[in-house]
Amino acid sequence: MALPVFTGQMIAFILISLLVIGSAVAMLFARKVIYMALLIGGVFIGVAGIYILLDADFVGFAQVLIYAGAITILMLFAIMLTNHGSQEQTPVNTHSVMAGLAAGGLLALLYWGFNSVDWTNWQQISPKDPVPPWGDSSVKAVGDAVYNVYAIPFELVSVVLIVALVGAIILARKGEE
Amino acid sequence: MEPTIVRYLLLAAVLFCIGLFGVLWKRNIIIVLVSIELMLNAVNINLVAFSRLGLAPNINGQVFALFAMVIAACEVAVGLAVLIALYRNRNTSDVKDMNLNKW
């Protein structure tokens, strides 16, 4: 195997990956619930960086707006409304060992899968042409695709969003009694 | 030498497994929801990576990632509403106490 060449993109990828995985692991082992909700913001922002590395600017900014903005704040509201300041103590028992075995087993299976794939076709196109197939404006390309090719799924997904929000309000509303 | 897409796939696999571990292990409902978000993010990384570095690169992967984000937002809204209703009625946010519909 040839030595990896440390281009700027590679270094950025390594740093962002460290941020994402470090935040995720720290999220699992943080002491207080509120710290967990704050650490998940690091994961979301790191994933947005990954999207920008992949020339998907629009998805990256949507990630920052939706996940790092809206969903993290929603989580913080929920924590503050319920059991803020609670210490999350999860016992180490057979259940947690089984959970770890399941997750580790899946990771091992996926790694084995990556190693057993024949990447020769990818190899030929792997030194990518620097310009992505959608040109230099992914915003324009995404808008084009959403409003032409995916117009009906887009409308359906907005209906799903409305139904979910109305259902959430009805669920969280105080009862009549 | 493997192509560059493998590192994105590996990152997504690690993130997915961390999320799976959190879902199976944690007992606070909010943290379970956050872990599900991690898994959805891992899938989104795969979609966007294939949309740029796949065998036939095109924009569709990004559009699917956006749809997945919308569904994730719906899931969080409904999940937190269920959590608030549960907390109001039973004063707990532990998944172990969520046995109202247990058969």
Side-chain angles (χ1 to χ4, degrees):
Chain A
M1 182 179 161
L3 279 177
V5 183
F6 282 93
T7 58
Q9 202 188 17
M10 181 97 181
I11 293 170
F13 175 79
I14 290 172
L15 289 180
I16 295 174
S17 302
L18 284 180
L19 169 72
V20 168
I21 294 176
S23 301
V25 172
M27 191 273 289
L28 280 186
F29 294 102
R31 259 185 323 106
K32 295 173 86 170
V33 180
I34 196 87
Y35 295 159
M36 297 178 175
L38 289 175
L39 279 168
I40 199 73
V43 178
F44 290 153
I45 290 176
V47 172
I50 293 281
Y51 293 158
I52 290 174
L53 268 188
L54 286 166
D55 291 309
D57 303 353
F58 184 75
V59 185
F61 288 119
Q63 167 90 7
V64 172
L65 286 178
I66 297 176
Y67 276 106
I71 289 184
T72 308
I73 301 298
L74 211 57
M75 296 279 179
L76 285 177
F77 267 118
I79 291 169
M80 288 308 198
L81 281 173
T82 55
N83 51 355
H84 60 93
S86 78
Q87 307 272 331
E88 165 85 7
Q89 69 272 15
T90 316
V92 176
N93 49 19
T94 50
H95 179 221
S96 65
V97 172
M98 296 290 275
L101 278 181
L106 180 64
L107 186 59
L109 191 70
L110 288 172
Y111 188 74
W112 173 79
F114 292 146
N115 277 336
S116 61
V117 167
D118 181 19
W119 295 104
T120 44
N121 276 338
W122 255 272
Q123 197 72 50
Q124 288 153 9
I125 56 165
S126 195
K128 274 292 160 193
D129 44 350
V131 181
W134 49 85
D136 51 359
S137 167
S138 82
V139 182
K140 188 167 172 295
V142 165
D144 232 23
V146 164
Y147 290 111
N148 286 327
V149 186
Y150 293 103
I152 292 173
F154 177 74
E155 300 294 336
L156 287 180
V157 100
S158 51
V159 170
V160 168
L161 189 58
I162 290 289
V163 169
L165 291 182
V166 172
I169 290 169
I170 290 174
L171 273 176
R173 194 181 54 164
K174 267 198 172 64
E176 299 298 326
E177 67 276 355
Chain B
M1 177 98 182
E2 287 158 334
T4 44
I5 191 169
V6 176
R7 18 183 241 233
Y8 292 97
L9 297 185
L10 270 179
L11 171 68
V14 170
L15 204 59
F16 190 90
C17 290
I18 292 173
L20 180 67
F21 182 57
V23 168
L24 293 177
W25 184 41
K26 288 293 181 181
R27 289 169 48 183
N28 192 315
I29 296 175
I30 300 174
I31 304 307
V32 171
L33 279 175
V34 163
S35 301
I36 293 174
E37 294 299 317
L38 278 188
M39 296 162 82
L40 286 166
N41 262 298
V43 174
N44 275 351
I45 289 178
N46 271 359
L47 285 172
V48 177
F50 278 117
S51 124
R52 176 76 174 88
L53 304 168
L55 274 182
N58 57 40
I59 199 76
N60 292 351
Q62 296 188 26
V63 178
F64 284 175
L66 287 172
F67 286 160
M69 277 185 201
V70 176
I71 300 301
C74 297
E75 172 247 322
V76 167
V78 175
L80 292 182
V82 169
L83 164 70
I84 300 273
L86 181 85
Y87 190 78
R88 183 180 298 128
N89 288 325
R90 311 196 93 188
N91 211 18
T92 177
S93 63
D94 194 326
V95 280
K96 288 247 162 44
D97 299 327
M98 243 183 145
N99 51 7
L100 287 81
N101 289 335
K102 209 171 181 179
W103 187 34

